[in-house]
Amino acid sequence: MIEIVKLIVLFLIMVGAFLNLVAALGVIRLPDVYTRNHAASKASALGIMSILLGTFLYFYFINHHFNSRILLGIAFFFLTTPVAGHLIGRASYNSGVKLWDKSVQDDLKRSKNNTEIRE
Amino acid sequence: MAFQLLLNVFLGFMWMLLTVTFEPVAFLKGYLFGLLIIFAFRRFFHSRFYLLNVIAVFKLIYIFVRELILSNIAVVKTVLKPKLDINPGIFAYPTVLEKDWEITILANLITLTPGTLVIDLSPDNKILYVHAMDINTKKESIDSIKNTFEKAIMEVGR
């Protein structure tokens, strides 16, 4: 039983570390703010959540210590990372950061121009 | 829904007072009997029987977790691919949801779907502007996914 738990914990923490590494690589590799935001807001969210879950299971099954703060941390990350990603994207769009030059389509720009014309 | 839940808790306390046992088990027993009573009297409430809403909430959480894992697999694939073949762009997505919390949950869900990220919401709360990682192939499938999201969210809010 303990060995199985240890294997699951090992798997969760390794996956979390791997996902965080991928998020960092994505921030370096991808071309513009918005695509970097994809990597940073998704991969690091699940990465941190699985590291926290692994830590929780370790302390619960091996030290018999139920730490509810870790569960709360998971819940807060789950709720706040998409909002943070959205806000960074929105702030950079509104302050005029250009999309990558190979971007295909930009509906938001058209609608912003329309409202300016109407005003 | 909140009123029915509160009524059920009240019925649980009522059971504790009637049986003069002040233990969590007694409260749980009273809560279950109260659930039966509320189910029997469900046609007197304006909203539907609230257990259906609870089930819908759990379904929504399941969708959230599944989309988070799928989107991470997609991100790992794009980042670790040797050649960078992405086609980013922003498209407009008209939503049928009206309440603020529904739109917030929808935006969070879209942000957690593979390859999409909400950039902006139009001032009249009708159109979401979504940044997509790969705009050519994904658009139709993403629209169909979001129809399932919108359906799940409406199920909660009904």
Side-chain angles (χ1 to χ4, degrees):
Chain A
M1 177 68 194
I2 290 292
E3 293 306 313
I4 296 170
V5 170
K6 274 181 185 165
L7 276 180
I8 293 172
V9 167
L10 179 75
F11 173 76
L12 280 174
I13 292 182
M14 292 303 276
V15 164
F18 172 72
L19 281 176
N20 278 336
L21 181 71
V22 168
L25 271 180
V27 170
I28 296 170
R29 263 197 84 190
L30 291 172
D32 71 343
V33 177
Y34 307 99
T35 44
R36 283 175 183 173
N37 210 347
H38 276 278
S41 67
K42 283 169 198 160
S44 64
L46 188 65
I48 291 169
M49 274 162 58
S50 71
I51 287 176
L52 284 178
L53 192 64
T55 322
F56 173 77
L57 289 178
Y58 181 84
F59 279 108
Y60 184 55
F61 281 104
I62 301 201
N63 294 0
H64 302 288
H65 171 60
F66 184 89
N67 198 335
S68 55
R69 266 174 279 180
I70 298 179
L71 292 183
L72 268 184
I74 292 175
F76 281 131
F77 262 105
F78 195 64
L79 290 176
T80 51
T81 39
V83 180
H86 161 68
L87 280 179
I88 292 170
R90 186 183 140 90
S92 52
Y93 196 93
N94 284 343
S95 56
V97 178
K98 292 260 183 330
L99 292 167
W100 189 34
D101 26 322
K102 282 180 195 157
S103 300
V104 197
Q105 193 179 348
D106 193 353
D107 284 347
L108 184 52
K109 193 166 145 200
R110 216 173 43 208
S111 82
K112 287 239 151 112
N113 288 342
N114 282 344
T115 49
E116 273 164 23
I117 289 165
R118 250 182 272 141
E119 283 161 3
Chain B
M1 179 198 167
F3 173 70
Q4 290 180 41
L5 191 70
L6 194 64
L7 190 65
N8 205 345
V9 170
F10 175 74
L11 286 172
F13 278 117
M14 194 70 118
W15 179 263
M16 279 163 84
L17 292 173
L18 278 175
T19 55
V20 206
T21 43
F22 302 104
E23 284 154 6
V25 179
F27 177 76
L28 207 68
K29 226 194 249 173
Y31 193 87
L32 288 178
F33 288 137
L35 205 63
L36 271 180
I37 290 170
I38 286 176
F39 182 70
F41 286 91
R42 64 191 179 284
R43 75 188 186 91
F44 294 104
F45 297 107
H46 296 297
S47 52
R48 60 182 181 159
F49 182 54
Y50 81 96
L51 215 56
L52 298 174
N53 289 53
V54 175
I55 292 168
V57 168
F58 277 108
K59 217 180 268 174
L60 197 62
I61 292 173
Y62 163 71
I63 291 176
F64 250 102
V65 172
R66 195 191 61 197
E67 289 306 320
L68 185 59
I69 292 169
L70 285 179
S71 76
N72 272 283
I73 293 170
V75 163
V76 167
K77 262 187 202 158
T78 15
V79 169
L80 295 185
K81 219 180 241 175
K83 210 167 133 264
L84 208 61
D85 55 345
I86 53 175
N87 257 333
I90 295 176
F91 66 91
Y93 175 74
T95 178
V96 293
L97 299 174
E98 280 158 5
K99 295 193 195 95
D100 282 348
W101 65 270
E102 288 175 339
I103 293 172
T104 311
I105 292 178
L106 182 68
N108 275 2
L109 265 175
I110 292 172
T111 302
L112 292 179
T113 19
T116 51
L117 204 145
V118 178
I119 295 288
D120 208 347
L121 177 65
S122 70
D124 56 350
N125 288 358
K126 289 266 161 56
I127 301 168
L128 288 162
Y129 294 100
V130 182
H131 183 271
M133 200 81 139
D134 196 352
I135 206 154
N136 302 329
T137 57
K138 289 275 174 74
K139 208 169 165 184
E140 288 84 18
S141 65
I142 282 168
D143 278 345
S144 73
I145 289 170
K146 265 179 297 196
N147 286 334
T148 65
F149 291 169
E150 280 192 336
K151 223 175 265 169
I153 292 170
M154 276 194 273
E155 192 72 13
V156 173
R158 207 160 61 171

